[in-house]
Amino acid sequence: MYAFDFEKPTTVAEAVAALADDEAQPLSGGQTLIPTLKQRLAMPSKLVSLTGIAEMQGVCTNDAGQLCIGGATPHAVVAAEAASKYPALSALASNIGDPAVRNRGTIGGSVANNDPAACYPSAVLASGATVVTNNREIAADDYFQGLFSTALEEGEIITEVRFPVPQAANYQKFVQPASRFALVGVFVAKFADGVRVAVTGASNDGVFRWTEAEKALSANFSPDALNGLSVSADGMIGDLHGTPEYRAHLIAVMTKRAVAAAS
Amino acid sequence: MSPAINFELRRRTFIAGTAVAAVTVGMSRKAAAQTAAPVGAESTTVFLTVNGEGRELTVDNRTTLLDALREHLQLTGTKKGCDHGQCGACTCTVNGTRVNSCLSLAVMHDGDEVETIEGIGAPDAMDPMQTAFVENDGFQCGYCTPGQIQSARAVLDEIRAGIPSHVTDDLTAEITITDAEIRERMSGNICRCGAYANILAAITQVAEDQA
C-alpha cells in the first residue's frame, strides 16, 4: 500500500467535509478497496471510513412501503433483516462472497464500486431502486453508467438505497466457484405495472436491463414466455471462465430459472 | 471476475514513492525498512480490547488488523494465509462477528473488541470446539485451524441468532443444523489438507452437545 491519512467521522456531514480534500477516498467495508490498495492499484491521499456513521446503518421500511437500507449496512445484516420483507434481496445478500466478507462488505460500497460481476447492482436496477446520496436521489436507471462507472460525483457518498418491494422476485446466480462472483446473475422483479429484468456478470458495460424479456414477461409471467428469446453475444465478457456466447446463453437460462422460482 | 481496473498513478504520491525507493538502494535491509516505513505523519494510535485486555498501539495506517495482532501484539495464533481475504486462515472476531483480519485495517477498529484463538482457550483448558477438533482429527497440518475454529464457533452463534444462509429453505423459520448448512457457513475457510469431513464432524458434535 501507499501511505495515506485516515479519518473516521461519525456523521455524514463530517465525512463529506473530510472527502473534500484532494484525492481523498471513502472506505466502507474495505473488502474490495483493501485488496486494491495492497496491490497498489489505488493511491488515495486519505481514507475516510464510513463504518462509524450511525445514520448510515440498518434496514427499515419507509411510509411508502419501500425498504430503506443504510449505505454502510453489511451484507449479513441485509440478509437477516430483509428476509421477511424482501426475501429475494435477502437471498442475494446471503450469497455474496463468504460469511466473513458479508460481515464487513456493505451495500453502498458494492453499488458505488459497480463491479460488472457484483450481485447488488442487479437488485438495484431490477427493483427500480433509488440511490440516495448526501445531496440527491438518483434513479437506478440513471445511476449505472458502465464498467465501474456510476453517476456519483467525486466525494459523493451513498447514504441509503431505497427498494420498492415487488410482488414477486428472484435472483439466480451462476457462480464462479472460486471467487463466488456472478459469472452471470439475473434478477427478475414483478411489479403491478410490469416486470424488470437486470443482468450482472455478463456485459462489458456492467449491469443492464434485458428489455425484450421484460416485455414478454410483463405480458405473461412464466418461463415459457421466454421461449425463443436470446441475447446477442456482442459486448459480452469473454475470459477463461466463459466465452461471450456462453454468457449470452446463460442469461436466458438464468432468467427462466428466476421466473420459475419467483412464480 | 477481473476486467482491467481503471486507475491512474497520481503524480504527487508517485514521486514521493519513487524518491523513497531511490534513497533506499544500497542501504542495509534494516536501514531501508526504517526509511521506507514512516512516510509523513501517517500513523495512528488505536485502542483495542484484545481477548478482554485493553491494548494501545501506534501503527502505520497501512497496518492490517492481522499484522497488528501478529507483529505488534505478538499474538501469532491468527495465521496469514493468502492475505487477500480468500482463505480464511486469519479469521477472528470483532465485536462478536467473524471477519477476515487481513481485509481490515487496524485503524478502522479503534475501540473495538477483538477475540483471537489465544482468547478462547489454552492447552489445559480448551474451548469445546477446540476439544472437538482434537477428538475428530479436524486438521492435518494445522495452519488453517485457528481460523476454522473461530469460524466454527461463529457458525453456531449465527445459527442460534437465526441468521439465514444461502442454503436455508425457509428464511423466516427456525434454522435446522444440517451438513449443508454447516458446509455453506464454513465456505470462507479453506483447508488445503482436505480435513473438511472431520471439521464437519467436530462442528456437528459441538452443535449436538450444546443443543
Side-chain angles (χ1 to χ4, degrees):
Chain A
M1 289 184 227
Y2 294 104
F4 50 81
D5 288 325
F6 182 85
E7 277 190 48
K8 190 172 179 180
T10 54
T11 66
V12 171
E14 285 171 16
V16 170
L19 284 165
D21 286 10
D22 188 31
E23 293 172 16
Q25 189 167 355
L27 169 67
S28 197
Q31 304 301 286
T32 298
L33 183 53
I34 291 174
T36 306
L37 292 170
K38 285 185 178 185
Q39 294 174 77
R40 294 196 159 185
L41 292 172
M43 197 184 279
S45 62
K46 181 205 280 183
L47 289 180
V48 180
S49 171
L50 305 180
T51 54
I53 302 173
E55 60 195 292
M56 283 173 61
Q57 294 282 350
V59 179
C60 64
T61 308
N62 69 10
D63 294 340
Q66 295 172 320
L67 196 68
C68 302
I69 303 178
T73 309
H75 310 323
V77 173
V78 176
E81 295 191 9
S84 56
K85 181 81 182 169
Y86 194 165
L89 185 67
S90 165
L92 175 148
S94 76
N95 201 24
I96 298 172
D98 62 48
V101 166
R102 292 195 287 272
N103 281 338
R104 294 292 301 169
T106 67
I107 186 168
S110 172
V111 173
N113 190 45
N114 192 20
D115 188 301
C119 296
Y120 266 130
S122 68
V124 172
L125 190 58
S127 306
T130 304
V131 178
V132 184
T133 76
N134 51 296
N135 62 15
R136 59 185 169 141
E137 297 181 3
I138 309 169
D141 285 319
D142 303 324
Y143 176 82
F144 298 103
Q145 301 188 347
L147 197 74
F148 295 107
S149 299
T150 69
L152 291 178
E153 309 275 353
E154 219 35 57
E156 195 171 5
I157 302 169
I158 298 176
T159 54
E160 187 176 272
V161 185
R162 287 184 199 143
F163 290 88
V165 179
Q167 297 168 339
N170 191 262
Y171 177 64
Q172 290 288 322
K173 172 160 79 162
F174 194 94
V175 176
Q176 202 285 83
S179 71
R180 288 214 167 185
F181 271 106
L183 200 64
V184 168
V186 178
F187 201 107
V188 173
K190 178 176 182 283
F191 292 92
D193 59 352
V195 176
R196 290 170 66 104
V197 177
V199 181
T200 189
S203 168
N204 280 319
D205 290 330
V207 67
F208 70 95
R209 283 172 67 185
W210 185 15
T211 48
E212 207 183 354
E214 291 181 351
K215 208 173 150 193
L217 291 169
S218 296
N220 173 18
F221 193 69
S222 89
D224 294 341
L226 297 165
N227 287 342
L229 295 188
S230 61
V231 180
S232 163
D234 289 346
M236 295 296 140
I237 296 168
D239 57 21
L240 79 169
H241 307 299
T243 61
E245 291 75 16
Y246 183 59
R247 280 187 165 85
H249 179 73
L250 274 181
I251 293 171
V253 174
M254 301 316 278
T255 307
K256 277 190 181 180
R257 288 185 190 173
V259 174
S263 50
Chain B
M1 186 47 244
S2 51
I5 293 174
N6 253 334
F7 77 98
E8 45 192 65
L9 277 180
R10 281 144 190 201
R11 185 173 170 75
R12 178 179 50 78
T13 326
F14 181 66
I15 290 170
T18 313
V20 171
V23 167
T24 57
V25 170
M27 287 187 181
S28 73
R29 196 170 158 195
K30 192 176 173 194
Q34 285 171 348
T35 314
V39 181
E42 285 133 341
S43 63
T44 305
T45 299
V46 293
F47 184 86
L48 303 173
T49 302
V50 182
N51 300 329
E53 189 185 337
R55 305 294 291 263
E56 189 179 83
L57 63 164
T58 301
V59 292
D60 186 302
N61 289 344
R62 295 171 287 184
T63 310
T64 60
L65 178 60
L66 174 62
D67 285 339
L69 292 170
R70 288 181 57 85
E71 309 293 335
H72 292 258
L73 300 175
Q74 279 73 52
L75 293 168
T76 52
T78 308
K79 301 303 184 205
K80 182 183 280 193
C82 69
D83 209 22
H84 278 82
Q86 297 178 359
C87 74
C90 67
T91 306
C92 62
T93 61
V94 173
N95 299 333
T97 59
R98 50 177 161 157
V99 304
N100 289 317
S101 58
C102 75
L103 283 193
S104 238
L105 300 170
V107 290
M108 296 165 77
H109 293 290
D110 189 29
D112 283 353
E113 288 188 22
V114 181
E115 188 184 56
T116 70
I117 191 76
E118 289 90 345
I120 69 166
D124 54 353
M126 290 198 288
D127 179 81
M129 190 64 77
Q130 291 174 310
T131 306
F133 267 66
V134 172
E135 289 176 1
N136 290 278
D137 283 337
F139 48 83
Q140 286 186 42
C141 82
Y143 196 79
C144 71
T145 310
Q148 299 279 4
I149 289 174
Q150 290 287 48
S151 254
R153 284 160 46 91
V155 163
L156 298 184
D157 288 346
E158 288 163 14
I159 291 175
R160 274 193 286 268
I163 297 170
S165 84
H166 185 62
V167 299
T168 310
D169 284 333
D170 184 344
L171 293 179
T172 49
E174 191 175 343
I175 298 162
T176 319
I177 301 180
T178 60
D179 287 1
E181 201 55 78
I182 294 173
R183 284 180 183 278
E184 164 62 23
R185 290 169 189 269
M186 290 296 291
S187 63
N189 291 79
I190 291 173
C191 167
R192 283 301 183 226
C193 302
Y196 297 113
N198 296 354
I199 292 170
L200 181 63
I203 299 170
T204 306
Q205 179 181 314
V206 176
E208 285 170 355
D209 288 350
Q210 293 178 351

